Amino acid sequence: MSVFTGAGVALVTPMNQDGSVNYEKLAELVEFHIKNSTDAIIICGTTGEASTLSDEEHIECIRYCCEVADKRIPVVAGTGSNCTQSAIDLSVKAVEAGADALLVVTPYYNKCTQNGLKAHYKAIAEAVNVPIIMYNIPGRTGVKIMPETVVSLCEEVSNIVGVKDATGDLSEVADVLGLAKKRGVQVDLYSGNDDQIVPILSLGGKGVISVLSNILPQETHDMTQAYFDKDTEKAADLQLKYCDLIRGLFCEVNPIPVKKAMNLMGMNVGSLRAPLTEMEDVNAAKLEKAMKDVKLI
C-alpha cells in the first residue's frame, strides 16, 4: 500500500522573530492542512529548511508534527544526509518520534556511484521498519538515482517503496515507470515539481510532494483527485490555472518565495535561516502579481 496518494505538502518550518522554530505556528499549519484535504505532511524536507536545523530541532519538529497530526494524516519525515551513518541515526530517531514514513534524499556533495546509492539506501532501510521514499533531486545534490537503481531498490528492499522525482525530466519519469511495469515492480513515484503534477499522474505517478500546497492545499488536492476520478479536463485546467503562480514560487530558490507568499497571506511563518535571504524586490513583485491574479491576496 502506498504511503499516500494525492497531494502531500512539503511543509515550511515556521520561525519566530529570533530565528527559533515556532512550534505554535507549526501546530496551526498542521491543522490547516488537515482541514483543507492535504493527503500527507512532509516535515523537515528541503522546503522545511532541514539543512539549517540542528539535529535536536529536526527531531523535535518531527515529534511535534506527529503529535499534532495524531495519525489523522500520514507524516513523512525528511531524514537524508550525505553521511550514511548520520542518515541512519536520524531515521531511527524520526521513527521513534512517530514518523509514518521517511523521505531520504540522495547523499549530496559526495557524488557517490549508483552502487554507493544502493548501499546507502539499503543500510537505512535495514535500520527502520517504516516505508522509505527516495528523493531524486540532482540539481541540489549533484547525483542522480538512475531508473535501473530506483527500480532495483524497490524490487529488492521491501520497505523502499518509491521515489520523489525532482529531476524535472518527464522522460526520466517515463523510464522509471516503464521499467517498473516491464519488470512487474511497484514503484510509487511522486512529482517533486508542482508544474508537472498532472503530466506525472498521466504516466502512473501517485501524486505530488508539493510546495504549492503550502498556500493552496485544497486546490492541489483537488487537482490530483480530479485526475484519479478520471476528470482529466478539470485536473489539466487546475494545473494550467496555477502555472504563473508556480513559476513565481520558484523564481528564487525554494523555500524563499513560498515563505514570502505565506507571509503576504497573513500566515506569519517568519523569516528564513541563513544563508537564505529575503526575496529581491523584482522577484517579490512578480510573485505578488501572480498571487493577485488568482486572488490569493
Side-chain angles (χ1 to χ4, degrees), residues 166-188:
T167 63
D169 186 345
L170 289 174
S171 295
E172 190 93 359
V173 171
D175 286 345
V176 171
L177 293 174
L179 181 61
K181 187 171 185 179
K182 182 178 180 180
R183 289 185 14 195
V185 178
Q186 179 62 44
V187 175
D188 292 343

Side-chain angles (χ1 to χ4, degrees), residues 128-256:
V128 296
N129 61 354
V130 299
I132 291 173
I133 300 169
M134 297 173 285
Y135 183 10
N136 198 11
I137 183 165
R140 283 186 183 262
T141 65
V143 63
K144 180 190 289 186
I145 319 176
M146 300 304 292
E148 170 64 32
T149 303
V150 172
V151 176
S152 293
L153 282 166
C154 289
E155 184 176 32
E156 296 169 13
V157 185
S158 61
N159 61 327
I160 297 180
V161 299
V163 62
K164 174 185 176 182
D165 188 285
T167 63
D169 186 345
L170 289 174
S171 295
E172 190 93 359
V173 171
D175 286 345
V176 171
L177 293 174
L179 181 61
K181 187 171 185 179
K182 182 178 180 180
R183 289 185 14 195
V185 178
Q186 179 62 44
V187 175
D188 292 343
L189 192 146
Y190 299 93
S191 175
N193 297 85
D194 285 305
D195 59 352
Q196 295 182 340
I197 300 171
V198 174
I200 284 177
L201 290 176
S202 76
L203 290 169
K206 292 291 184 179
V208 61
I209 295 177
S210 170
V211 175
L212 180 66
S213 285
N214 280 284
I215 57 174
L216 286 173
Q218 186 68 57
E219 292 81 355
T220 312
H221 164 83
D222 290 348
M223 189 190 307
T224 61
Q225 191 59 51
Y227 188 88
F228 297 143
D229 291 341
K230 303 189 186 309
D231 190 348
T232 55
E233 184 175 356
K234 178 181 177 181
D237 284 348
L238 285 168
Q239 179 77 84
L240 295 172
K241 178 178 180 179
Y242 297 118
C243 279
D244 287 344
L245 177 59
I246 292 166
R247 195 172 294 113
L249 287 173
F250 291 92
C251 67
E252 288 189 20
V253 70
N254 179 48
I256 294 174

